[in-house]
Amino acid sequence: MALKIAVPKENADETRVAASPDTVKKYVALGCEVTIESGAGEKSSLTDAMFKDAGATVAKDREGTLKGADIVLTVRTASVDSELLPKGTLLVGIADPHGSEAAIKKAAEKGVELFAMELMPRITRAQSMDVLSSQSNLAGYKAVLDAAEHFTRAFPMMMTAAGTIPPARVFVMGAGVAGLQAIATAKRLGALVSATDVRPAAKEQVQSLGGTFVAVEDEEFKQAETAGGYAKEMSAEYKKKQQELIEETIKKQDIVITTALIPGRAAPKLITAEMVKSMKPGSVIVDLAVETGGNCELSEAGKILKKHGVTIVGHRNVPGRLATDASLLYAKNLLNLLTLLIDKDKKELAIDWEDDIVKGIALTRSGKIVHPNFGGETPAPKKEEKTDKEKAVPEPVPAKGGEPKEDTDKNVHKQEPAKKSAAKKTPAKKAAPKKGS
């Protein structure tokens, strides 16, 4: 029996959809049946007819969409109640695990296997499944366009008969995926761009895009990146020094775009009310971290405010403001994950629970919470076993003085050259009489 993939309509405030006509075709080619809830792609300009033509069945309501589903694909898992899913269903999407403890517990109790796409590990194999990167890239681009909309001047320098218009100065705070795209977009529009980040690796990336890097580059700065590539929380002392530098920098800026996020924690406050006051009238701040508390002290989620002559933009779900492209990229992320999870020959789910990708995103399994960061058991460290090569190395051989030689291949091989050197001494004795003659 073919695997059934269900794609329900998202909640009212979500414009994206978890499938595209292209990914539906790929799922059908894998031997899956795909059911889309009617209107699921409407806000992304992906019509029911487009999904039908790709091979999907369009269901009239939520119940018909989820009936008999083996896999449920969502943008936000909160759009689907675990109560509606049969035991063993795989629910995949952005799960907001740090703020959805009750939902995770409920999924476990119902026997639903819950996978959180935003927990995708930063490894090479998982790059094509990384939803944070695909969505942040669009957010960085859109942030610059939002700033341009509210900015009352032009971005590039313009020389006219009536005079010269200076270029806009854009400052990007946080040079991750969103920040780098913001730098590139502002640069293309002709602005003078500078950026800051606590990660040392960001300096070269900013400069490669034509931006000027701004940071307090001390010893703490050199250690400010996690193994996963995320920014670490900095010390109070460093924050003070960095804040003093930022205060001086922000005064000269026309536009500031903030993108700084710390996984599982509130967004760091980078711009104080006093900094906003110091900015020129007509300046614009775009806060991409507003949904997790905001990088600007005065920003509010879902609002565009005017404070001290400065416009502060705090749109929710910025990737969703480019709904079509955001949906196409997100749907491809999901397809790449499912291609890993589905056995192409048997046409069934074959999840390798020991795979690093699966271990990174799996929140629940078989009625239990399994992710160690969210209440699951921390796996016991594996005992190191000797490799075949190590087992083949001989035991230490006592030397002449009774001391054992080191147990390495290098020392074992040293015994043969010793015999050769002894053979070389024989001709040396014959050469001695020639000297006397």
Side-chain angles (χ1 to χ4, degrees):
M1 189 175 179
L3 277 174
K4 181 181 176 181
I5 298 174
V7 182
K9 187 190 294 186
E10 298 291 320
N11 292 334
D13 58 348
E14 180 55 71
T15 58
R16 295 167 290 179
V17 63
S20 68
D22 181 57
T23 61
V24 167
K25 288 178 184 177
K26 299 283 176 50
Y27 292 134
V28 172
L30 284 173
C32 302
E33 294 178 0
V34 183
T35 302
I36 309 280
E37 186 175 355
S38 181
E42 187 177 340
K43 294 176 183 176
S44 300
S45 302
L46 301 173
T47 65
D48 290 351
M50 294 168 70
F51 283 117
K52 276 184 181 179
D53 292 342
T57 300
V58 177
K60 293 180 180 180
D61 54 25
R62 175 66 57 94
E63 186 180 352
T65 304
L66 299 177
K67 187 177 180 180
D70 300 294
I71 305 169
V72 178
L73 301 181
T74 66
V75 176
R76 298 183 187 274
T77 57
S79 64
V80 176
D81 189 344
S82 298
E83 291 283 354
L84 303 175
L85 304 177
K87 185 178 179 180
T89 303
L90 175 62
L91 176 59
V92 186
I94 299 171
D96 183 25
H98 294 284
S100 304
E101 292 85 355
I104 297 172
K105 185 178 179 181
K106 187 176 182 180
E109 290 171 351
K110 292 296 295 180
V112 172
E113 321 287 20
L114 180 59
F115 282 12
M117 289 299 288
E118 68 266 55
L119 298 179
M120 190 64 65
R122 292 287 178 92
I123 58 177
T124 304
R125 284 198 307 125
Q127 285 180 350
S128 64
M129 311 169 201
D130 188 350
V131 300
L132 293 183
S133 293
S134 69
Q135 303 303 293
S136 295
N137 196 46
L138 292 172
Y141 165 78
K142 186 61 173 172
V144 177
L145 299 190
D146 287 338
E149 178 186 349
H150 295 281
F151 189 48
T152 55
R153 289 173 42 207
F155 266 55
M157 182 176 74
M158 295 183 183
M159 301 179 72
T160 73
T164 301
I165 297 173
R169 292 181 175 274
V170 177
F171 184 46
V172 179
M173 304 185 76
V177 175
L180 292 174
Q181 182 56 251
I183 293 167
T185 303
K187 197 72 182 171
R188 284 197 293 268
L189 290 176
L192 290 176
V193 186
S194 57
T196 186
D197 196 290
V198 296
R199 294 171 301 118
K203 181 177 180 178
E204 186 179 344
Q205 295 168 339
V206 169
Q207 292 173 336
S208 71
L209 293 171
T212 301
F213 191 70
V214 178
V216 176
E217 299 183 45
D218 60 9
E219 284 303 313
E220 184 175 358
F221 172 79
K222 295 174 183 178
Q223 307 295 327
E225 188 171 353
T226 68
Y230 294 102
K232 285 183 181 177
E233 180 76 13
M234 306 300 282
S235 69
E237 183 183 355
Y238 182 89
K239 286 179 181 177
K240 184 180 178 182
K241 290 188 288 184
Q242 180 76 349
Q243 184 171 335
E244 289 171 357
L245 176 61
I246 298 305
E247 283 174 357
E248 291 303 311
T249 303
I250 280 182
K251 290 177 184 178
K252 307 167 188 175
Q253 305 305 315
D254 298 304
I255 293 168
V256 180
I257 296 170
T258 68
T259 70
L261 293 168
I262 300 174
R265 302 185 65 176
K269 296 298 180 190
L270 305 178
I271 303 177
T272 64
E274 288 301 315
M275 291 183 193
V276 176
K277 285 182 184 178
S278 74
M279 295 179 74
K280 295 176 284 187
S283 298
V284 178
I285 296 172
V286 180
D287 193 342
L288 287 181
V290 72
E291 291 182 278
T292 55
N295 296 141
C296 177
E297 188 179 344
L298 301 180
S299 63
E300 293 182 35
K303 294 183 180 180
I304 299 171
L305 308 171
K306 196 90 168 181
K307 300 283 186 179
H308 311 296
V310 177
T311 302
I312 304 173
V313 181
H315 289 302
R316 292 181 183 273
N317 188 17
V318 176
R321 289 165 55 74
L322 294 167
T324 303
D325 284 336
S327 294
L328 296 178
L329 292 177
Y330 181 75
K332 194 65 181 293
N333 292 144
L334 292 176
L335 171 66
N336 291 330
L337 173 64
L338 260 61
T339 301
L340 175 71
L341 305 180
I342 296 174
D343 187 309
K344 299 174 183 64
D345 298 321
K346 297 180 180 178
K347 313 294 183 186
E348 62 184 31
L349 267 178
I351 300 174
D352 178 3
W353 295 94
E354 293 303 312
D355 188 296
D356 286 339
I357 291 175
V358 174
K359 287 196 290 186
I361 65 175
L363 292 173
T364 63
R365 177 191 179 189
S366 302
K368 294 181 180 179
I369 297 173
V370 293
H371 201 293
N373 292 348
F374 303 98
E377 293 182 6
T378 303
K382 293 181 179 179
K383 290 183 179 180
E384 291 187 10
E385 293 185 7
K386 284 188 176 182
T387 62
D388 292 338
K389 185 178 179 181
E390 288 172 331
K391 290 175 182 176
V393 176
E395 292 297 317
V397 180
K400 285 183 179 179
E403 294 295 327
K405 288 187 179 181
E406 290 184 34
D407 185 15
T408 64
D409 290 337
K410 190 174 179 182
N411 284 320
V412 171
H413 289 304
K414 275 185 179 178
Q415 293 175 13
E416 287 186 16
K419 292 179 182 178
K420 289 182 182 178
S421 61
K424 284 181 182 177
K425 287 181 182 178
T426 308
K429 290 179 182 178
K430 291 181 182 178
K434 288 183 181 179
K435 277 188 176 182
S437 61

